[in-house]
């Protein structure tokens, strides 16, 4: 806090970003995203002027994107990155007419408005898609706050994510597997919620996971990575506890690559 005040005094306007990027601002922005999605009304978003929007890594508009469709929100969870002024929101709509699982990275402007929204949308036809399964498992997991003295640094959290992402192309990489650890991929779960769940249960070879964009929240040990999975738009989100992987959630937009519309 003192450092921020000193920086504010020294650097003038560039410090505005740090000063305004509070957890409250980020949470309010993430809440406005969930409200917009529930209503199918993108104007509910706390947007900054000139907001840019991508969907499945392609430039788009809010009006023609997923936020214009009202969805029943069965579950949402947001992590807040006060260092980058960014958020990640996982959103599950399992009980509506057309189920979806969505991931949103958002970046905020110095004034606290949302300047950039990057959405990933998965639905029937995407990798292991089963929103009911996603919802069931996601609700059982504990992504709650980690006691201040037990939190990992941003570097440790990101390193755990990077090791997991790197092993797809390099089997010599040492991944900090936690025990237990479970992977929720689409709606499919590698564990059963028990103490012996393992994430080290098979990873494809020879795939480079590149163009990684991170949102990190140390308070909950979470890092979300938007990446290109051999050209397929993908999100890998991790919960890290004590430097080790506890949960992995993936969204893989198969329908974006084939150009096929979701059915
Ligand atoms: C989806 O997940 C639910 C809950 O885990 C399960 O009961 C159902 O059989 C799954 N559906 C398919 C098509 O796999
Ligand atoms: C593979 O990972 C090992 C262990 O981290 C590292 O020493 C090596 O340089 C990596 N190889 C490549 C080609 O990146
Ligand atoms: C976990 O694994 C241990 C050792 O193999 C075993 O004794 C124990 O019953 C397992 N626990 C569960 C809940 O499966």
């Amino acid at each position: 806090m003192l450092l921020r005040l000193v920086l504010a005094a020294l650097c003038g306007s560039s410090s505005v970003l740090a000063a305004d990027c509070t957890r409250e601002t980020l949470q309010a922005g993430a809440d406005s995203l969930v409200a917009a999605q529930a209503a199918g009304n993108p104007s509910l978003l706390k947007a900054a002027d000139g907001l840019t929007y991508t969907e499945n890594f392609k430039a788009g508009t809010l009006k023609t994107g997923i936020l214009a469709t009202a969805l029943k929100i069965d579950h949402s969870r947001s992590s807040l990155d006060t260092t980058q002024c960014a958020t990640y929101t996982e959103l599950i709509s399992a009980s509506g007419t057309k189920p979806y699982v969505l991931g949103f990275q958002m970046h905020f402007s110095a004034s606290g408005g949302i300047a950039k929204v990057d959405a990933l949308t998965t639905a029937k036809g995407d990798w292991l898609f089963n929103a009911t399964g996603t919802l069931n498992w996601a609700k059982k997991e504990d992504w709650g706050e980690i006691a201040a003295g037990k939190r990992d640094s941003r570097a440790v959290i990101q390193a755990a994510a990077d090791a997991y992402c790197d092993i797809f192309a390099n089997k010599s990489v040492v991944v900090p597997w936690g025990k237990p650890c479970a992977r929720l991929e689409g709606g499919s779960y590698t564990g059963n919620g028990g103490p012996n769940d393992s994430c080290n249960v098979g990873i494809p070879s020879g795939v480079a996971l590149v163009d990684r964009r991170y949102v990190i929240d140390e308070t909950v040990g979470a890092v979300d990575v938007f990446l290109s999975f051999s050209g397929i738009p993908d999100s890998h989100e991790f919960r890290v506890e004590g430097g080790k992987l506890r949960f992995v959630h993936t969204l893989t937009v198969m329908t974006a690559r084939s150009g096929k519309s979701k059915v």
Side-chain angles (χ1 to χ4, degrees):
M1 194 59 205
L2 182 60
L3 180 63
R4 274 187 191 169
L5 290 175
V6 172
L7 285 175
L10 289 177
C11 320
S13 65
S14 69
S15 64
V16 169
L17 197 137
D20 285 352
C21 190
T22 61
R23 293 188 67 81
E24 291 70 27
T25 304
L26 296 176
Q27 187 65 60
D31 289 347
S32 79
L33 171 78
V34 177
Q37 188 67 78
N41 181 359
S43 70
L44 295 179
L45 206 61
K46 289 188 184 297
D49 288 343
L51 176 146
T52 61
Y53 180 76
T54 70
E55 194 165 293
N56 301 328
F57 298 176
K58 290 211 174 71
T61 66
L62 286 177
K63 277 188 187 153
T64 56
I66 188 69
L67 285 171
T69 301
L71 296 183
K72 179 160 185 307
I73 310 297
D74 294 307
H75 168 91
S76 78
R77 178 174 49 75
S78 294
S79 45
L80 313 176
D81 184 333
T82 51
T83 302
Q84 294 189 88
C85 274
T87 57
Y88 174 71
T89 300
E90 174 188 76
L91 209 151
I92 304 171
S93 178
S95 59
T97 47
K98 182 177 174 188
Y100 280 98
V101 180
L102 310 172
F104 295 89
Q105 286 194 357
M106 302 200 295
H107 286 83
F108 290 64
S109 73
S111 57
I114 299 163
K116 188 168 191 286
V117 177
D118 296 309
L120 285 181
T121 68
T122 62
K124 192 175 170 195
D126 290 315
W127 184 247
L128 300 173
F129 185 79
N130 178 353
T132 311
T134 310
L135 180 65
N136 284 350
W137 291 111
K139 284 204 308 203
K140 289 191 178 110
E141 295 176 348
D142 180 3
W143 288 69
E145 200 171 309
I146 294 173
K150 291 190 162 180
R151 287 178 195 163
D152 291 311
S153 68
R154 295 176 68 82
V156 165
I157 293 167
Q158 185 177 325
D162 276 331
Y164 187 92
C165 293
D166 286 344
I167 201 173
F168 284 74
N170 179 353
K171 295 299 169 198
S172 308
V173 170
V174 177
V175 178
W177 304 113
K179 188 173 179 211
C181 177
R183 287 157 50 183
L184 180 56
E185 301 178 335
S188 157
Y189 212 55
T190 57
N192 59 21
N196 294 335
D197 282 1
S198 170
C199 287
N200 191 7
V201 290
I203 288 188
S205 300
V207 192
L209 278 53
V210 298
D211 195 15
R212 300 177 194 170
R213 285 148 285 161
Y214 309 88
V215 171
I216 299 173
D217 184 343
E218 303 94 311
T219 68
V220 290
V223 49
D224 176 69
V225 192
F226 272 14
L227 56 87
S228 166
F229 192 107
S230 266
I232 304 170
D234 181 282
S235 168
H236 270 63
E237 189 191 20
F238 303 88
R239 158 94 165 184
V240 178
E241 294 177 2
K244 294 186 159 50
L245 297 176
R246 177 66 183 91
F247 299 119
V248 185
H249 286 193
T250 71
L251 301 175
T252 307
V253 190
M254 306 303 288
T255 47
R257 183 160 81 161
S258 61
K260 218 170 35 170
S261 65
K262 296 179 199 300
V263 286

